[in-house]
Amino acid sequence: MPDQVLFATEVVLNGLMAGVMYSLVALGFVLIFKASGIFNFAQGVMALFAAMTLVGIQNGQVPFSHLFNAIFGTKIHYFGWEVHSVIAILLTVIVMIFMAWAVQRYIFQYLIGQEPIILFMATIGLAYFLEGVADLMWGAEIKTLNVCLNSDTCLPQGINTVIDSVTFGWFGYGFFVDNLDISATIVAIFLVAVLVIFSQYTKQGRAMRAVADDHQAALSVGISLNYIWILVWSVAGFVALVAGIMWGAKSGVQFSLSLIALKALPVLMLGGFTSIPGAIVGGLIIGVGEKLFEFLIGPMIGGATENWFAYMLALLFLVFRPQGLFGEKIIERV
């Protein structure tokens, strides 16, 4: 097999893996938009906040220690213990559920019936607020995230030696595929399956869809908007935690992590803002497309095409199919 074909095949595999990572962030956008019509600009910051909270709990860090030390002149930063990853994840889920309740109780409860642009601006304010709170709680330094069941079983990273050896035996060239990307793919498939089942076959899922279709009609049949929106933001917070774990383990827990939300926007435009499977398919298209474009066309035009290819592809979709591949086509009478 020609070397260029082998290289392109490896690029496609890594593009699929990268696309899954984008999709994990896009899922949070889809969940909130599908149930409430709110485009949540804060989803990327929620992933950052969840990852920082998880690391802080794992390491036994004292929340707001920098603030307390500055006010009282103390030098306390850690409790002196470490928390098991599973317990730390459960505690972080509780924190994200509390955050969902606070967001609904103190922000969106007072914005029911407002124009979409007002709700969108509220999520921008929420994003900056959460970023500031995360900085105060856990500090701004880059943190290393390790999720382990025990001392021997941790979230795998580095090259997958099985794929490397098998492909080398077949083609004389070993494919580099990151173990963490494989883990993210497995988690994403499981997560999408659970979310689809939840949305389609549970009472709460049907209530979420009813609220998305018509708030007033949902209220008229006894569905509580407050309960549904707290549920939606809680689920979106859990998805943000999953995305934060994967991205944090891959690139470190740092404030640039919040920018992954920008890469999720083209994914949403391709897959559709209301489709959970569309978020995955859109992510895969973006991941493979940007990697292949960089591999085939990048050298001819100076490289660095991954920074803009996804947005150019999304622009084409906005022109010719604005609802995305799986989004619902909206027809309004004027």
Side-chain angles (χ1 to χ4, degrees), residues 35 59 134 164 170 184 196 250 296 300 314 328:
N59 296 335
D164 179 58
W170 287 352
V196 169
K250 188 179 183 70
L296 298 173
M300 303 178 189
E328 299 172 359

Side-chain angles (χ1 to χ4, degrees), residues 15-204:
L16 290 171
M17 301 294 113
V20 169
M21 298 289 279
Y22 298 150
S23 299
L24 284 174
V25 183
L27 279 173
F29 285 98
V30 170
L31 285 170
I32 291 179
F33 188 84
K34 187 178 177 67
S36 62
I38 298 173
F39 178 77
N40 180 27
F41 186 82
Q43 187 66 30
V45 181
M46 286 170 62
L48 167 69
F49 181 82
M52 293 186 72
T53 301
L54 176 59
V55 174
I57 293 174
Q58 276 185 312
N59 296 335
Q61 186 176 347
V62 178
F64 300 105
S65 59
H66 296 84
L67 182 61
F68 292 148
N69 292 336
I71 294 174
F72 301 108
T74 56
K75 295 182 179 180
I76 300 174
H77 295 281
Y78 295 92
F79 289 112
W81 63 68
E82 293 186 358
V83 179
H84 191 278
S85 294
V86 175
I87 298 175
I89 290 173
L90 292 176
L91 292 175
T92 305
V93 169
I94 293 173
V95 171
M96 298 306 290
I97 291 174
F98 174 78
M99 186 198 72
W101 171 83
V103 165
Q104 171 58 22
R105 173 66 179 81
Y106 296 107
I107 300 177
F108 292 108
Q109 177 177 318
Y110 302 101
L111 297 178
I112 294 176
Q114 296 294 328
E115 294 294 324
I117 186 62
I118 295 177
L119 299 173
F120 173 63
M121 294 300 293
T123 65
I124 293 178
L126 176 63
Y128 284 104
F129 174 77
L130 283 179
E131 193 166 338
V133 169
D135 188 5
L136 284 175
M137 285 184 70
W138 309 114
E141 66 277 4
I142 299 175
K143 300 172 177 63
T144 301
L145 175 59
N146 294 310
V147 177
C148 302
L149 295 178
N150 52 55
S151 58
D152 299 321
T153 308
C154 295
L155 197 63
Q157 297 190 49
I159 185 173
N160 186 283
T161 55
V162 174
I163 294 177
D164 179 58
S165 60
V166 169
T167 52
F168 185 82
W170 287 352
F171 310 115
Y173 174 77
F175 290 174
F176 181 93
V177 178
D178 197 318
N179 280 311
L180 183 62
D181 292 338
I182 296 175
S183 300
T185 301
I186 296 171
V187 169
I189 292 172
F190 176 76
L191 197 58
V192 168
V194 170
L195 290 174
V196 169
I197 292 171
F198 174 77
S199 176
Q200 299 293 330
Y201 301 107
T202 66
K203 180 180 179 180
Q204 291 78 10

Side-chain angles (χ1 to χ4, degrees), residues 248-270:
K250 188 179 183 70
S251 58
V253 179
Q254 51 189 313
F255 277 84
S256 62
L257 195 65
S258 62
L259 299 179
I260 59 175
L262 299 179
K263 208 53 175 286
L265 296 181
V267 174
L268 293 168
M269 294 173 190
L270 264 67

Side-chain angles (χ1 to χ4, degrees), residues 267-291:
V267 174
L268 293 168
M269 294 173 190
L270 264 67
F273 280 80
T274 59
S275 173
I276 292 174
I280 296 296
V281 175
L284 296 179
I285 293 174
I286 291 292
V288 172
E290 68 179 15
K291 297 293 184 184

